[in-house]
Amino acid sequence: MTTTELQSRSREAADQVTAFFDAYRRHDVDAMTDLCADNADFSYVPFEVWGKQRVLRGDGKVKTVGKTIWVGLIASFPDLFTDVHTVDANDAGDVVVTCDIGGGQQLAWGPAEPRGGKFSEPHLFIFHVDGDGLIDRISAYWDGAGINRQLGHLEVD
Amino acid sequence: MKLFTRKDQAEDRAGAAEVTPAETVSAFLTAFGRRDVEAALSVVDDSVRVDIHPTGLREGGSAELRAFLTETATAFPDLLVTVKNLIETGSVVTAELKVEGTQAAVYLGAINQEKHLDVDQAWRFTVSGDRVTAVDAYWCQNQLYRRLAVKRLDQISLV
């Protein structure tokens, strides 16, 4: 692979992820998932709901777990926004994004009851884009306590 | 006395250029995992900009980074830092890692109940030459407090 082709791979990966965030900004979850491979892995690391018998985690596939979380998030925060700050990519298809995500709460989100609160929280996303130009992995990190504090939910569930 | 000639400095810079950003970050994280704060800081530039989002630290510097690393190393004598993924994208290096240990002292306001901590984290480093010039750390403080048996975000130090 030539240097130009490698730079092209890096650029294409960054463009695919930029398109993902453009769709996220439009709340177009179908478009978000269409940018991903059918079997794309999904991990929202802080997403952890502790029940009496088991712990639900935000791990699985984009087109099952990911899509469900995004639809629920947008329903709870109808004015959800994503402000992308940095996009860094390499020729292996890795793309790292820093952004702020936030919005005003209208419906319950996890254990946080709607109190009319708003949040804005820094996020870090790690994507991998495959050789066909589709996203085949999404991982994200953020501080759930920061969001809960802003929404007025102070219990550590 | 003149210690360095121009040629020496050029060779020094050339030597520094041979160290990749990922190697610099690996050196930092390896030292952190050994609880060797001084060794970790030896690859950090004096003018480093530090954001440790879960602690609320924004645009801190080397003093704040030193304080955080020292508090972590002190609170967890059996600290284990496992790097799961290291991604180099030009001068930016992103590490996905797991931090584990048994609490032995107050940590980020949580009293010591000798609980075991395991929290997945992501650290984004910016590297210039052989020095870290920016650090952004992300993890979920809710997960951290849950593992340390904290019940409420407004009563971190209460059991």
Side-chain angles (χ1 to χ4, degrees), chain A residues 45-48 50 57 86 88-90 94-96 98-99 121-124 126-127 137 139 141-145 148-149 153-157, chain B residues 53-55 58 84-85 87-90 92 94 96-97 120-124 136 138-143 145-147 150-154 156:
Chain A
V45 176
F47 196 94
E48 191 179 81
W50 283 59
R57 298 185 195 281
T86 62
D88 295 287
N90 65 21
D94 300 304
V95 185
V96 177
T98 61
C99 63
E121 190 66 27
H123 285 58
L124 184 138
I126 299 171
F127 296 84
R137 180 199 169 202
S139 295
Y141 296 81
W142 68 88
D143 176 20
N148 285 346
R149 273 198 191 93
H153 181 76
L154 300 177
E155 290 81 17
V156 178
D157 306 289
Chain B
H53 297 287
T55 69
R58 301 285 191 275
K84 299 187 292 184
N85 193 16
I87 299 167
E88 187 176 302
T89 48
V92 171
T94 305
E96 291 182 277
L97 48 93
D120 290 308
Q121 308 186 357
W123 289 49
R124 180 184 182 275
D136 293 270
Y138 299 80
W139 68 82
C140 179
Q141 197 77 327
N142 230 37
Q143 289 181 329
Y145 284 145
R146 187 181 297 127
R147 285 148 179 74
V150 172
K151 305 294 186 196
R152 287 183 60 87
L153 296 174
D154 57 346
I156 303 299

Side-chain angles (χ1 to χ4, degrees), chain A residues 47-99:
Chain A
F47 196 94
E48 191 179 81
V49 180
W50 283 59
K52 288 182 179 173
Q53 301 288 332
R54 60 179 180 156
V55 180
L56 289 176
R57 298 185 195 281
D59 292 328
K61 299 295 179 184
V62 164
K63 296 198 175 180
T64 54
V65 179
K67 192 168 184 177
T68 303
I69 288 177
W70 292 326
V71 167
L73 187 62
I74 291 165
S76 293
F77 302 91
D79 61 349
L80 191 79
F81 67 84
T82 58
D83 285 343
V84 173
H85 302 305
T86 62
V87 179
D88 295 287
N90 65 21
D91 53 32
D94 300 304
V95 185
V96 177
V97 174
T98 61
C99 63

Side-chain angles (χ1 to χ4, degrees), chain B residues 11-129:
Chain B
E11 285 172 352
D12 192 42
R13 282 195 298 274
E18 290 171 7
V19 179
T20 67
E23 288 170 341
T24 298
V25 169
S26 289
F28 174 90
L29 292 172
T30 299
F32 179 34
R34 290 199 315 263
R35 301 170 54 241
D36 188 342
V37 174
E38 294 309 317
L41 292 172
S42 72
V43 297
V44 176
D45 198 81
D46 290 342
S47 62
V48 66
R49 197 214 73 231
V50 180
D51 290 343
I52 303 178
H53 297 287
T55 69
L57 178 65
R58 301 285 191 275
E59 298 186 358
S62 56
E64 287 82 3
L65 181 59
R66 178 189 299 275
F68 172 76
L69 296 176
T70 301
E71 183 174 1
T72 305
T74 303
F76 299 96
D78 59 350
L79 182 70
L80 180 62
V81 176
T82 305
V83 178
K84 299 187 292 184
N85 193 16
L86 199 64
I87 299 167
E88 187 176 302
T89 48
S91 61
V92 171
V93 179
T94 305
E96 291 182 277
L97 48 93
K98 184 183 285 290
V99 173
E100 299 173 81
T102 310
Q103 192 181 5
V106 172
Y107 185 59
L108 300 179
I111 64 168
N112 175 24
Q113 298 183 73
E114 301 179 356
K115 298 292 184 183
H116 183 76
L117 177 74
D118 66 306
V119 175
D120 290 308
Q121 308 186 357
W123 289 49
R124 180 184 182 275
F125 299 85
T126 306
V127 180
S128 178

